Amino acid sequence: MIELNGGPARAADLAALALTGYGHFTTLRLADGRIRGLDLHLARLVRDCRVVFGAELDPARVRDRLRAVAARTEEPVTVRVTVFDPGLALERPGADATPHLLVTTRPAAAAAAAPLRVRTVEHRRELPEVKHTGLFGLLHQRRLAQLAGFDDALLTGPDAAVSEGTTWNVGFHDGRDLVWPDADCLPGVTAALLAGAYDGPQRRERVSAAGLGRFTAAFAVNAGFGVRPIAAVDGHRFDPAHPVLDRLRAAYLAVPADRP
């Protein structure tokens, strides 16, 4: 499904997004008419709209479109809500913007995705605190990783500190604590929900790519697949069946989902 402001999305309406790539979005999983972390997704869209466009986005508009999707969807789907302005020209991105809502759906990812094998790469997303549509650098790093025999890439800074995956947040377990990298990265909705639901000890700290051997488990998180084990980062291997991963999955799935 592809719709713009509740109606058919014409090619002319999508030209600005295709030609400039200027916008922001959130991706969420809709199942049984409910969305986990809905309020956080809405807050992200409102916050990012202020940063990207200097404009206010009414979350009720987003809820309305999500209700329409839920009413005609029986199977779980991944919904992407993209905010952009078809009238914002390449030459004048500083003009006053009017947020439009592009809503697309695709089949939801498998509930139990295979463990990831990733490699580290020095790369930083532009404006990492915003979930924007500038995905070229991320997809290019994912492509290069796959061509090298990996599944994906794990981003690091110039100091080799781990930040995030290409389209996911990352976490580790050291045998006692859940550890989240303290670095510039997207504040993920799924990571926030999991951090709030997990009842074990956890902390944020700088995580060095060279020091990953101190961890017993690693995992990726996003709204599409939830909690996904990481089997290896570069030459460091982790147990993809570590018991803590079941605890994390159970904690995340226990988070109540809301109707739009």
Side-chain angles (χ1 to χ4, degrees):
M1 186 207 77
I2 303 176
E3 67 170 33
L4 182 64
N5 297 329
R10 303 175 304 166
D13 295 326
L14 302 180
L17 186 60
L19 295 174
T20 69
Y22 194 78
H24 64 94
F25 70 101
T26 198
T27 300
L28 46 90
R29 182 185 175 98
L30 173 68
D32 298 323
R34 296 178 180 272
I35 298 164
R36 192 172 282 108
L38 176 59
D39 287 345
L40 294 180
H41 284 288
L42 294 174
R44 163 188 281 166
L45 290 173
V46 171
R47 179 182 65 247
D48 288 355
C49 193
R50 291 172 183 154
V51 175
V52 175
F53 294 112
E56 292 297 321
L57 177 67
D58 183 359
R61 290 179 58 199
V62 183
R63 284 184 178 272
D64 182 61
R65 300 320 320 143
L66 292 175
R67 278 195 295 268
V69 174
R72 57 179 184 264
T73 302
E74 296 183 0
E75 297 298 322
V77 293
T78 296
V79 184
R80 171 167 158 162
V81 180
T82 303
V83 180
F84 76 109
D85 182 356
L88 207 60
L90 183 68
E91 298 81 5
R92 290 287 297 167
D96 291 342
T98 301
H100 286 53
L101 296 180
L102 176 67
V103 179
T104 60
T105 63
R106 65 180 188 271
L116 287 166
R117 294 177 58 255
V118 304
R119 73 171 186 179
T120 56
V121 60
E122 184 182 326
H123 184 81
R124 182 180 185 271
R125 291 191 310 110
E126 293 178 290
L127 208 63
E129 68 274 17
V130 171
K131 194 173 180 72
H132 55 75
T133 55
L135 299 179
F136 176 84
L138 300 177
L139 295 181
H140 184 58
Q141 293 301 333
R142 175 177 284 172
R143 172 181 167 80
L144 293 178
Q146 291 176 353
L147 291 176
F150 297 85
D151 298 311
D152 211 335
L154 179 62
L155 311 185
T156 70
D159 60 351
V162 171
S163 58
E164 60 186 332
T166 54
T167 57
W168 37 271
N169 290 112
V170 66
F172 303 91
H173 198 270
D174 65 3
R176 190 184 78 89
D177 291 1
L178 190 62
V179 179
W180 301 97
D182 186 8
D184 289 337
C185 64
L186 181 73
V189 168
T190 304
L193 293 175
L194 181 57
Y198 180 66
D199 60 1
Q202 57 186 302
R203 66 184 189 273
R204 300 190 70 86
E205 66 178 40
R206 181 184 180 278
V207 175
S208 169
L212 294 179
R214 64 191 175 98
F215 297 112
T216 57
F219 57 93
V221 289
N222 72 13
F225 53 65
V227 180
R228 185 173 182 179
I230 294 178
V233 178
D234 297 332
H236 302 283
R237 296 186 179 277
F238 304 101
D239 180 5
H242 194 288
V244 75
L245 297 171
D246 288 334
R247 289 180 59 195
L248 292 170
R249 290 191 195 94
Y252 177 63
L253 293 176
V255 174
D258 300 313
R259 294 191 182 278

